[in-house]
């Protein structure tokens, strides 16, 4: 979407270089001119994507692979001008605690740079970070809310609530910075699926949307 959009003159500082970032570069949107650190170069630690991506990256001088203890260092991340960090998540509770690497206490993926980039983008007033996820997930025949009143027993928090800035779903953006605990909860309820908002306000756990609805249908609705 950024590759097709009107914006340009972007810089890249990322743990993982992806096929989507290649498309952004191919569209002429990346210059790395204004970064403030490693100016003129896209910076990453590893790449994961298509064979086309790896061929495109081969011996490129404008993409630099650096050790993870440099790329993911929050103090280095914060040296980028107008840093906007983007992370995914599996679930979040109404306090803003983010679970991004475990499901029901079982390891699903790595922690990676989640907390590093959320934290690094909070050290300067002109930086922002966004945790992005669909509002629902399909578990068997059920469609459950990823935004929960309380995290299930045994959940392992990836990023603590005090570092979380923006939370994005297909229903909008919750800007949590500077809000009270109650205001944060209401902002998160407003970007949950409409079917579960009242239940979340009542503090109900394990809420789900109408049976048979798909996340794709919910997003269109």
């Amino acid at each position: 979407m950024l590759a097709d959009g009107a914006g340009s003159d972007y810089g890249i500082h990322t743990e993982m270089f992806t096929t989507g970032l290649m498309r952004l570069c191919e569209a002429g949107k990346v210059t790395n001119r204004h970064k403030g650190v490693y100016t003129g170069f896209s910076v990453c630690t590893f790449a994961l994507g298509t064979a086309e991506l790896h061929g495109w990256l081969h011996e490129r001088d404008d993409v630099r692979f650096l050790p993870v203890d440099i790329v993911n260092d929050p103090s280095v991340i914060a040296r980028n001008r107008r840093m906007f960090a983007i992370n995914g998540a599996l679930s979040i509770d109404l306090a803003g605690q983010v679970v991004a690497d475990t499901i029901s206490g079982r390891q699903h993926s790595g922690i990676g740079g989640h907390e590093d980039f959320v934290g690094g983008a909070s050290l300067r007033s002109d930086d922002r970070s966004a945790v992005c996820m669909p509002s629902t997930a399909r578990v068997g025949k059920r469609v459950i809310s990823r935004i929960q009143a309380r995290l299930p027993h045994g959940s392992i928090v990836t990023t603590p609530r005090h570092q979380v800035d923006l939370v994005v779903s297909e229903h909008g953006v919750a800007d949590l910075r500077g809000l009270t605990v109650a205001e944060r909860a209401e902002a998160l309820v407003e970007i949950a699926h409409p079917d579960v908002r009242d239940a979340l306000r009542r503090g109900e756990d394990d809420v789900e949307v109408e049976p048979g609805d798909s996340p794709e249908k919910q997003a269109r609705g």
Side-chain angles (χ1 to χ4, degrees), residues 90-92 132-138 143-148 168-172 188-189 191-197 200 207 209 215 218-219:
L90 297 171
S91 61
I92 186 170
C132 307
M133 64 180 186
S135 65
T136 60
R138 185 174 292 280
V143 179
I144 64 172
S145 175
R146 291 177 183 259
I147 299 173
Q148 305 169 350
V168 182
S169 80
E170 72 273 25
H171 299 292
L188 288 166
V189 166
I191 65 166
H193 190 281
D195 286 359
V196 305
R197 292 175 188 173
L200 288 173
V207 293
V209 304
Q218 296 153 22

PDB file of all heavy atoms in Angstrom, residues 90-92 132-138 143-148 168-172 188-189 191-197 200 207 209 215 218-219:
ATOM      1  N   LEU A  90      -0.626 -10.934  18.360  1.00  0.00           N
ATOM      2  CA  LEU A  90      -1.635 -11.991  18.386  1.00  0.00           C
ATOM      3  C   LEU A  90      -2.851 -11.568  19.197  1.00  0.00           C
ATOM      4  O   LEU A  90      -3.986 -11.873  18.834  1.00  0.00           O
ATOM      5  CB  LEU A  90      -1.037 -13.278  18.963  1.00  0.00           C
ATOM      6  CG  LEU A  90       0.105 -13.889  18.141  1.00  0.00           C
ATOM      7  CD1 LEU A  90       0.764 -15.021  18.916  1.00  0.00           C
ATOM      8  CD2 LEU A  90      -0.403 -14.381  16.795  1.00  0.00           C
ATOM      9  N   SER A  91      -2.619 -10.865  20.299  1.00  0.00           N
ATOM     10  CA  SER A  91      -3.728 -10.402  21.134  1.00  0.00           C
ATOM     11  C   SER A  91      -3.251  -9.277  22.035  1.00  0.00           C
ATOM     12  O   SER A  91      -2.053  -9.047  22.208  1.00  0.00           O
ATOM     13  CB  SER A  91      -4.296 -11.553  21.986  1.00  0.00           C
ATOM     14  OG  SER A  91      -3.310 -12.067  22.858  1.00  0.00           O
ATOM     15  N   ILE A  92      -4.241  -8.576  22.631  1.00  0.00           N
ATOM     16  CA  ILE A  92      -3.948  -7.472  23.538  1.00  0.00           C
ATOM     17  C   ILE A  92      -5.098  -7.372  24.529  1.00  0.00           C
ATOM     18  O   ILE A  92      -6.255  -7.634  24.186  1.00  0.00           O
ATOM     19  CB  ILE A  92      -3.759  -6.153  22.753  1.00  0.00           C
ATOM     20  CG1 ILE A  92      -3.307  -5.017  23.679  1.00  0.00           C
ATOM     21  CG2 ILE A  92      -5.027  -5.776  21.998  1.00  0.00           C
ATOM     22  CD1 ILE A  92      -2.880  -3.762  22.922  1.00  0.00           C
ATOM     23  N   CYS A 132      -0.187  -3.596  15.026  1.00  0.00           N
ATOM     24  CA  CYS A 132      -1.262  -3.802  14.055  1.00  0.00           C
ATOM     25  C   CYS A 132      -1.716  -5.261  14.054  1.00  0.00           C
ATOM     26  O   CYS A 132      -0.878  -6.169  14.039  1.00  0.00           O
ATOM     27  CB  CYS A 132      -0.779  -3.430  12.658  1.00  0.00           C
ATOM     28  SG  CYS A 132      -0.059  -1.785  12.536  1.00  0.00           S
ATOM     29  N   MET A 133      -3.034  -5.469  14.047  1.00  0.00           N
ATOM     30  CA  MET A 133      -3.563  -6.834  14.018  1.00  0.00           C
ATOM     31  C   MET A 133      -5.024  -6.812  13.611  1.00  0.00           C
ATOM     32  O   MET A 133      -5.725  -5.812  13.838  1.00  0.00           O
ATOM     33  CB  MET A 133      -3.424  -7.484  15.400  1.00  0.00           C
ATOM     34  CG  MET A 133      -4.229  -6.805  16.476  1.00  0.00           C
ATOM     35  SD  MET A 133      -4.035  -7.600  18.090  1.00  0.00           S
ATOM     36  CE  MET A 133      -5.241  -6.660  19.034  1.00  0.00           C
ATOM     37  N   PRO A 134      -5.532  -7.907  13.017  1.00  0.00           N
ATOM     38  CA  PRO A 134      -6.970  -8.027  12.807  1.00  0.00           C
ATOM     39  C   PRO A 134      -7.684  -8.075  14.160  1.00  0.00           C
ATOM     40  O   PRO A 134      -7.097  -8.512  15.160  1.00  0.00           O
ATOM     41  CB  PRO A 134      -7.116  -9.358  12.052  1.00  0.00           C
ATOM     42  CG  PRO A 134      -5.746  -9.693  11.572  1.00  0.00           C
ATOM     43  CD  PRO A 134      -4.790  -9.074  12.527  1.00  0.00           C
ATOM     44  N   SER A 135      -8.932  -7.665  14.197  1.00  0.00           N
ATOM     45  CA  SER A 135      -9.661  -7.642  15.476  1.00  0.00           C
ATOM     46  C   SER A 135     -10.085  -9.028  15.928  1.00  0.00           C
ATOM     47  O   SER A 135     -10.431  -9.215  17.099  1.00  0.00           O
ATOM     48  CB  SER A 135     -10.891  -6.742  15.376  1.00  0.00           C
ATOM     49  OG  SER A 135     -11.833  -7.275  14.457  1.00  0.00           O
ATOM     50  N   THR A 136     -10.071 -10.010  15.018  1.00  0.00           N
ATOM     51  CA  THR A 136     -10.549 -11.355  15.355  1.00  0.00           C
ATOM     52  C   THR A 136      -9.575 -12.405  14.850  1.00  0.00           C
ATOM     53  O   THR A 136      -8.692 -12.138  14.024  1.00  0.00           O
ATOM     54  CB  THR A 136     -11.927 -11.635  14.733  1.00  0.00           C
ATOM     55  OG1 THR A 136     -11.822 -11.537  13.309  1.00  0.00           O
ATOM     56  CG2 THR A 136     -12.971 -10.654  15.243  1.00  0.00           C
ATOM     57  N   ALA A 137      -9.753 -13.628  15.343  1.00  0.00           N
ATOM     58  CA  ALA A 137      -9.000 -14.789  14.877  1.00  0.00           C
ATOM     59  C   ALA A 137      -9.938 -15.993  14.853  1.00  0.00           C
ATOM     60  O   ALA A 137     -10.832 -16.112  15.703  1.00  0.00           O
ATOM     61  CB  ALA A 137      -7.812 -15.080  15.788  1.00  0.00           C
ATOM     62  N   ARG A 138      -9.749 -16.873  13.886  1.00  0.00           N
ATOM     63  CA  ARG A 138     -10.563 -18.095  13.819  1.00  0.00           C
ATOM     64  C   ARG A 138      -9.859 -19.218  14.571  1.00  0.00           C
ATOM     65  O   ARG A 138      -8.688 -19.518  14.324  1.00  0.00           O
ATOM     66  CB  ARG A 138     -10.799 -18.507  12.368  1.00  0.00           C
ATOM     67  CG  ARG A 138     -11.726 -19.703  12.233  1.00  0.00           C
ATOM     68  CD  ARG A 138     -12.058 -20.002  10.796  1.00  0.00           C
ATOM     69  NE  ARG A 138     -12.889 -18.963  10.199  1.00  0.00           N
ATOM     70  CZ  ARG A 138     -14.208 -18.887  10.386  1.00  0.00           C
ATOM     71  NH1 ARG A 138     -14.833 -19.766  11.156  1.00  0.00           N
ATOM     72  NH2 ARG A 138     -14.893 -17.923   9.817  1.00  0.00           N
ATOM     73  N   VAL A 143     -14.972 -17.748  16.004  1.00  0.00           N
ATOM     74  CA  VAL A 143     -14.247 -16.531  15.666  1.00  0.00           C
ATOM     75  C   VAL A 143     -14.171 -15.703  16.943  1.00  0.00           C
ATOM     76  O   VAL A 143     -15.189 -15.238  17.450  1.00  0.00           O
ATOM     77  CB  VAL A 143     -14.931 -15.745  14.540  1.00  0.00           C
ATOM     78  CG1 VAL A 143     -14.154 -14.467  14.241  1.00  0.00           C
ATOM     79  CG2 VAL A 143     -15.046 -16.599  13.286  1.00  0.00           C
ATOM     80  N   ILE A 144     -12.967 -15.582  17.494  1.00  0.00           N
ATOM     81  CA  ILE A 144     -12.803 -14.935  18.798  1.00  0.00           C
ATOM     82  C   ILE A 144     -12.168 -13.565  18.633  1.00  0.00           C
ATOM     83  O   ILE A 144     -11.532 -13.262  17.620  1.00  0.00           O
ATOM     84  CB  ILE A 144     -11.946 -15.796  19.754  1.00  0.00           C
ATOM     85  CG1 ILE A 144     -10.518 -15.939  19.201  1.00  0.00           C
ATOM     86  CG2 ILE A 144     -12.592 -17.154  19.961  1.00  0.00           C
ATOM     87  CD1 ILE A 144      -9.562 -16.608  20.181  1.00  0.00           C
ATOM     88  N   SER A 145     -12.353 -12.739  19.639  1.00  0.00           N
ATOM     89  CA  SER A 145     -11.774 -11.405  19.633  1.00  0.00           C
ATOM     90  C   SER A 145     -10.305 -11.481  20.052  1.00  0.00           C
ATOM     91  O   SER A 145      -9.952 -12.137  21.031  1.00  0.00           O
ATOM     92  CB  SER A 145     -12.530 -10.493  20.601  1.00  0.00           C
ATOM     93  OG  SER A 145     -11.912  -9.220  20.683  1.00  0.00           O
ATOM     94  N   ARG A 146      -9.459 -10.792  19.299  1.00  0.00           N
ATOM     95  CA  ARG A 146      -8.054 -10.680  19.700  1.00  0.00           C
ATOM     96  C   ARG A 146      -7.879  -9.619  20.792  1.00  0.00           C
ATOM     97  O   ARG A 146      -6.876  -9.621  21.503  1.00  0.00           O
ATOM     98  CB  ARG A 146      -7.187 -10.305  18.498  1.00  0.00           C
ATOM     99  CG  ARG A 146      -7.052 -11.391  17.436  1.00  0.00           C
ATOM    100  CD  ARG A 146      -6.237 -10.846  16.273  1.00  0.00           C
ATOM    101  NE  ARG A 146      -6.118 -11.799  15.180  1.00  0.00           N
ATOM    102  CZ  ARG A 146      -5.049 -12.557  14.947  1.00  0.00           C
ATOM    103  NH1 ARG A 146      -4.017 -12.486  15.759  1.00  0.00           N
ATOM    104  NH2 ARG A 146      -5.012 -13.366  13.917  1.00  0.00           N
ATOM    105  N   ILE A 147      -8.835  -8.704  20.893  1.00  0.00           N
ATOM    106  CA  ILE A 147      -8.830  -7.702  21.963  1.00  0.00           C
ATOM    107  C   ILE A 147      -9.660  -8.269  23.105  1.00  0.00           C
ATOM    108  O   ILE A 147     -10.840  -8.566  22.944  1.00  0.00           O
ATOM    109  CB  ILE A 147      -9.400  -6.367  21.466  1.00  0.00           C
ATOM    110  CG1 ILE A 147      -8.539  -5.835  20.320  1.00  0.00           C
ATOM    111  CG2 ILE A 147      -9.477  -5.352  22.603  1.00  0.00           C
ATOM    112  CD1 ILE A 147      -9.097  -4.611  19.635  1.00  0.00           C
ATOM    113  N   GLN A 148      -9.030  -8.462  24.258  1.00  0.00           N
ATOM    114  CA  GLN A 148      -9.649  -9.193  25.361  1.00  0.00           C
ATOM    115  C   GLN A 148      -9.674  -8.334  26.618  1.00  0.00           C
ATOM    116  O   GLN A 148      -8.788  -7.508  26.845  1.00  0.00           O
ATOM    117  CB  GLN A 148      -8.856 -10.479  25.628  1.00  0.00           C
ATOM    118  CG  GLN A 148      -8.707 -11.358  24.394  1.00  0.00           C
ATOM    119  CD  GLN A 148      -7.709 -12.483  24.602  1.00  0.00           C
ATOM    120  OE1 GLN A 148      -6.989 -12.530  25.592  1.00  0.00           O
ATOM    121  NE2 GLN A 148      -7.652 -13.401  23.655  1.00  0.00           N
ATOM    122  N   VAL A 168      -3.727  -0.722  16.070  1.00  0.00           N
ATOM    123  CA  VAL A 168      -4.490  -0.590  14.836  1.00  0.00           C
ATOM    124  C   VAL A 168      -5.199  -1.901  14.519  1.00  0.00           C
ATOM    125  O   VAL A 168      -4.590  -2.976  14.571  1.00  0.00           O
ATOM    126  CB  VAL A 168      -3.563  -0.218  13.659  1.00  0.00           C
ATOM    127  CG1 VAL A 168      -4.372  -0.031  12.377  1.00  0.00           C
ATOM    128  CG2 VAL A 168      -2.760   1.028  13.984  1.00  0.00           C
ATOM    129  N   SER A 169      -6.488  -1.819  14.218  1.00  0.00           N
ATOM    130  CA  SER A 169      -7.236  -2.947  13.655  1.00  0.00           C
ATOM    131  C   SER A 169      -7.974  -2.447  12.424  1.00  0.00           C
ATOM    132  O   SER A 169      -7.897  -1.261  12.075  1.00  0.00           O
ATOM    133  CB  SER A 169      -8.232  -3.523  14.667  1.00  0.00           C
ATOM    134  OG  SER A 169      -9.416  -2.733  14.716  1.00  0.00           O
ATOM    135  N   GLU A 170      -8.738  -3.333  11.772  1.00  0.00           N
ATOM    136  CA  GLU A 170      -9.507  -2.897  10.605  1.00  0.00           C
ATOM    137  C   GLU A 170     -10.635  -1.948  10.984  1.00  0.00           C
ATOM    138  O   GLU A 170     -11.272  -1.338  10.104  1.00  0.00           O
ATOM    139  CB  GLU A 170     -10.073  -4.113   9.848  1.00  0.00           C
ATOM    140  CG  GLU A 170     -11.212  -4.845  10.539  1.00  0.00           C
ATOM    141  CD  GLU A 170     -10.741  -5.906  11.513  1.00  0.00           C
ATOM    142  OE1 GLU A 170      -9.596  -5.802  12.027  1.00  0.00           O
ATOM    143  OE2 GLU A 170     -11.509  -6.846  11.770  1.00  0.00           O
ATOM    144  N   HIS A 171     -10.875  -1.778  12.303  1.00  0.00           N
ATOM    145  CA  HIS A 171     -11.948  -0.894  12.766  1.00  0.00           C
ATOM    146  C   HIS A 171     -11.449   0.466  13.233  1.00  0.00           C
ATOM    147  O   HIS A 171     -12.249   1.286  13.681  1.00  0.00           O
ATOM    148  CB  HIS A 171     -12.742  -1.580  13.887  1.00  0.00           C
ATOM    149  CG  HIS A 171     -13.392  -2.854  13.450  1.00  0.00           C
ATOM    150  ND1 HIS A 171     -14.433  -2.881  12.546  1.00  0.00           N
ATOM    151  CD2 HIS A 171     -13.131  -4.146  13.775  1.00  0.00           C
ATOM    152  CE1 HIS A 171     -14.801  -4.136  12.338  1.00  0.00           C
ATOM    153  NE2 HIS A 171     -14.028  -4.916  13.063  1.00  0.00           N
ATOM    154  N   GLY A 172     -10.147   0.706  13.142  1.00  0.00           N
ATOM    155  CA  GLY A 172      -9.656   2.021  13.507  1.00  0.00           C
ATOM    156  C   GLY A 172      -8.336   1.985  14.253  1.00  0.00           C
ATOM    157  O   GLY A 172      -7.640   0.961  14.282  1.00  0.00           O
ATOM    158  N   LEU A 188      -9.458   0.938  23.177  1.00  0.00           N
ATOM    159  CA  LEU A 188      -9.261  -0.395  22.606  1.00  0.00           C
ATOM    160  C   LEU A 188     -10.590  -1.071  22.295  1.00  0.00           C
ATOM    161  O   LEU A 188     -10.711  -1.776  21.286  1.00  0.00           O
ATOM    162  CB  LEU A 188      -8.420  -1.251  23.555  1.00  0.00           C
ATOM    163  CG  LEU A 188      -6.944  -0.853  23.636  1.00  0.00           C
ATOM    164  CD1 LEU A 188      -6.262  -1.495  24.836  1.00  0.00           C
ATOM    165  CD2 LEU A 188      -6.218  -1.234  22.351  1.00  0.00           C
ATOM    166  N   VAL A 189     -11.596  -0.868  23.135  1.00  0.00           N
ATOM    167  CA  VAL A 189     -12.926  -1.414  22.853  1.00  0.00           C
ATOM    168  C   VAL A 189     -13.441  -0.880  21.519  1.00  0.00           C
ATOM    169  O   VAL A 189     -14.055  -1.610  20.725  1.00  0.00           O
ATOM    170  CB  VAL A 189     -13.920  -1.065  23.986  1.00  0.00           C
ATOM    171  CG1 VAL A 189     -15.359  -1.330  23.551  1.00  0.00           C
ATOM    172  CG2 VAL A 189     -13.589  -1.862  25.246  1.00  0.00           C
ATOM    173  N   ILE A 191     -11.947  -0.233  18.820  1.00  0.00           N
ATOM    174  CA  ILE A 191     -11.385  -0.831  17.611  1.00  0.00           C
ATOM    175  C   ILE A 191     -11.557  -2.347  17.603  1.00  0.00           C
ATOM    176  O   ILE A 191     -11.046  -3.036  16.713  1.00  0.00           O
ATOM    177  CB  ILE A 191      -9.893  -0.462  17.432  1.00  0.00           C
ATOM    178  CG1 ILE A 191      -9.029  -1.046  18.539  1.00  0.00           C
ATOM    179  CG2 ILE A 191      -9.723   1.042  17.317  1.00  0.00           C
ATOM    180  CD1 ILE A 191      -7.528  -0.992  18.217  1.00  0.00           C
ATOM    181  N   ALA A 192     -12.290  -2.880  18.599  1.00  0.00           N
ATOM    182  CA  ALA A 192     -12.648  -4.300  18.597  1.00  0.00           C
ATOM    183  C   ALA A 192     -13.806  -4.527  17.628  1.00  0.00           C
ATOM    184  O   ALA A 192     -14.453  -3.574  17.157  1.00  0.00           O
ATOM    185  CB  ALA A 192     -13.035  -4.743  19.999  1.00  0.00           C
ATOM    186  N   HIS A 193     -14.095  -5.788  17.327  1.00  0.00           N
ATOM    187  CA  HIS A 193     -15.239  -6.098  16.464  1.00  0.00           C
ATOM    188  C   HIS A 193     -16.516  -5.583  17.135  1.00  0.00           C
ATOM    189  O   HIS A 193     -16.694  -5.745  18.353  1.00  0.00           O
ATOM    190  CB  HIS A 193     -15.335  -7.601  16.236  1.00  0.00           C
ATOM    191  CG  HIS A 193     -16.324  -7.977  15.190  1.00  0.00           C
ATOM    192  ND1 HIS A 193     -17.675  -8.029  15.434  1.00  0.00           N
ATOM    193  CD2 HIS A 193     -16.163  -8.309  13.887  1.00  0.00           C
ATOM    194  CE1 HIS A 193     -18.309  -8.388  14.330  1.00  0.00           C
ATOM    195  NE2 HIS A 193     -17.422  -8.564  13.381  1.00  0.00           N
ATOM    196  N   PRO A 194     -17.431  -4.964  16.386  1.00  0.00           N
ATOM    197  CA  PRO A 194     -18.650  -4.397  17.005  1.00  0.00           C
ATOM    198  C   PRO A 194     -19.455  -5.405  17.812  1.00  0.00           C
ATOM    199  O   PRO A 194     -20.083  -5.022  18.805  1.00  0.00           O
ATOM    200  CB  PRO A 194     -19.447  -3.890  15.793  1.00  0.00           C
ATOM    201  CG  PRO A 194     -18.412  -3.593  14.764  1.00  0.00           C
ATOM    202  CD  PRO A 194     -17.334  -4.626  14.959  1.00  0.00           C
ATOM    203  N   ASP A 195     -19.435  -6.687  17.424  1.00  0.00           N
ATOM    204  CA  ASP A 195     -20.222  -7.697  18.130  1.00  0.00           C
ATOM    205  C   ASP A 195     -19.774  -7.920  19.574  1.00  0.00           C
ATOM    206  O   ASP A 195     -20.552  -8.428  20.388  1.00  0.00           O
ATOM    207  CB  ASP A 195     -20.151  -9.046  17.396  1.00  0.00           C
ATOM    208  CG  ASP A 195     -20.981  -9.052  16.126  1.00  0.00           C
ATOM    209  OD1 ASP A 195     -21.629  -8.026  15.825  1.00  0.00           O
ATOM    210  OD2 ASP A 195     -20.973 -10.094  15.425  1.00  0.00           O
ATOM    211  N   VAL A 196     -18.522  -7.574  19.897  1.00  0.00           N
ATOM    212  CA  VAL A 196     -17.993  -7.913  21.218  1.00  0.00           C
ATOM    213  C   VAL A 196     -17.763  -6.691  22.101  1.00  0.00           C
ATOM    214  O   VAL A 196     -17.344  -6.843  23.247  1.00  0.00           O
ATOM    215  CB  VAL A 196     -16.675  -8.710  21.095  1.00  0.00           C
ATOM    216  CG1 VAL A 196     -16.870  -9.955  20.233  1.00  0.00           C
ATOM    217  CG2 VAL A 196     -15.547  -7.856  20.530  1.00  0.00           C
ATOM    218  N   ARG A 197     -18.044  -5.517  21.612  1.00  0.00           N
ATOM    219  CA  ARG A 197     -17.689  -4.315  22.376  1.00  0.00           C
ATOM    220  C   ARG A 197     -18.427  -4.225  23.706  1.00  0.00           C
ATOM    221  O   ARG A 197     -17.828  -3.900  24.735  1.00  0.00           O
ATOM    222  CB  ARG A 197     -17.930  -3.060  21.521  1.00  0.00           C
ATOM    223  CG  ARG A 197     -16.977  -2.951  20.360  1.00  0.00           C
ATOM    224  CD  ARG A 197     -17.272  -1.781  19.443  1.00  0.00           C
ATOM    225  NE  ARG A 197     -16.442  -1.846  18.237  1.00  0.00           N
ATOM    226  CZ  ARG A 197     -16.563  -1.057  17.195  1.00  0.00           C
ATOM    227  NH1 ARG A 197     -17.516  -0.111  17.187  1.00  0.00           N
ATOM    228  NH2 ARG A 197     -15.782  -1.191  16.142  1.00  0.00           N
ATOM    229  N   LEU A 200     -16.956  -6.692  26.140  1.00  0.00           N
ATOM    230  CA  LEU A 200     -15.672  -6.236  26.655  1.00  0.00           C
ATOM    231  C   LEU A 200     -15.866  -5.170  27.726  1.00  0.00           C
ATOM    232  O   LEU A 200     -15.167  -5.173  28.750  1.00  0.00           O
ATOM    233  CB  LEU A 200     -14.811  -5.692  25.515  1.00  0.00           C
ATOM    234  CG  LEU A 200     -14.243  -6.721  24.534  1.00  0.00           C
ATOM    235  CD1 LEU A 200     -13.551  -6.012  23.371  1.00  0.00           C
ATOM    236  CD2 LEU A 200     -13.273  -7.668  25.230  1.00  0.00           C
ATOM    237  N   VAL A 207     -14.583 -13.708  24.546  1.00  0.00           N
ATOM    238  CA  VAL A 207     -15.730 -13.266  23.760  1.00  0.00           C
ATOM    239  C   VAL A 207     -15.530 -13.634  22.301  1.00  0.00           C
ATOM    240  O   VAL A 207     -14.407 -13.716  21.805  1.00  0.00           O
ATOM    241  CB  VAL A 207     -15.961 -11.749  23.910  1.00  0.00           C
ATOM    242  CG1 VAL A 207     -16.388 -11.419  25.319  1.00  0.00           C
ATOM    243  CG2 VAL A 207     -14.703 -10.957  23.546  1.00  0.00           C
ATOM    244  N   VAL A 209     -17.469 -13.510  18.096  1.00  0.00           N
ATOM    245  CA  VAL A 209     -18.441 -12.864  17.226  1.00  0.00           C
ATOM    246  C   VAL A 209     -19.450 -13.893  16.759  1.00  0.00           C
ATOM    247  O   VAL A 209     -19.373 -15.077  17.091  1.00  0.00           O
ATOM    248  CB  VAL A 209     -17.748 -12.189  16.023  1.00  0.00           C
ATOM    249  CG1 VAL A 209     -16.695 -11.210  16.503  1.00  0.00           C
ATOM    250  CG2 VAL A 209     -17.139 -13.217  15.092  1.00  0.00           C
ATOM    251  N   PRO A 215     -13.432 -13.667   9.412  1.00  0.00           N
ATOM    252  CA  PRO A 215     -12.757 -12.386   9.603  1.00  0.00           C
ATOM    253  C   PRO A 215     -12.822 -11.502   8.357  1.00  0.00           C
ATOM    254  O   PRO A 215     -12.924 -10.288   8.450  1.00  0.00           O
ATOM    255  CB  PRO A 215     -11.312 -12.806   9.929  1.00  0.00           C
ATOM    256  CG  PRO A 215     -11.448 -14.178  10.519  1.00  0.00           C
ATOM    257  CD  PRO A 215     -12.601 -14.811   9.766  1.00  0.00           C
ATOM    258  N   GLN A 218     -16.191  -9.915   8.304  1.00  0.00           N
ATOM    259  CA  GLN A 218     -16.283  -8.898   9.347  1.00  0.00           C
ATOM    260  C   GLN A 218     -15.566  -7.625   8.902  1.00  0.00           C
ATOM    261  O   GLN A 218     -16.045  -6.514   9.137  1.00  0.00           O
ATOM    262  CB  GLN A 218     -15.641  -9.424  10.622  1.00  0.00           C
ATOM    263  CG  GLN A 218     -16.359 -10.630  11.213  1.00  0.00           C
ATOM    264  CD  GLN A 218     -15.405 -11.492  12.006  1.00  0.00           C
ATOM    265  OE1 GLN A 218     -14.362 -11.019  12.441  1.00  0.00           O
ATOM    266  NE2 GLN A 218     -15.758 -12.750  12.202  1.00  0.00           N
ATOM    267  N   ALA A 219     -14.419  -7.784   8.242  1.00  0.00           N
ATOM    268  CA  ALA A 219     -13.662  -6.604   7.801  1.00  0.00           C
ATOM    269  C   ALA A 219     -14.462  -5.819   6.760  1.00  0.00           C
ATOM    270  O   ALA A 219     -14.488  -4.588   6.791  1.00  0.00           O
ATOM    271  CB  ALA A 219     -12.319  -7.037   7.224  1.00  0.00           C
TER     272      ALA A 219
END
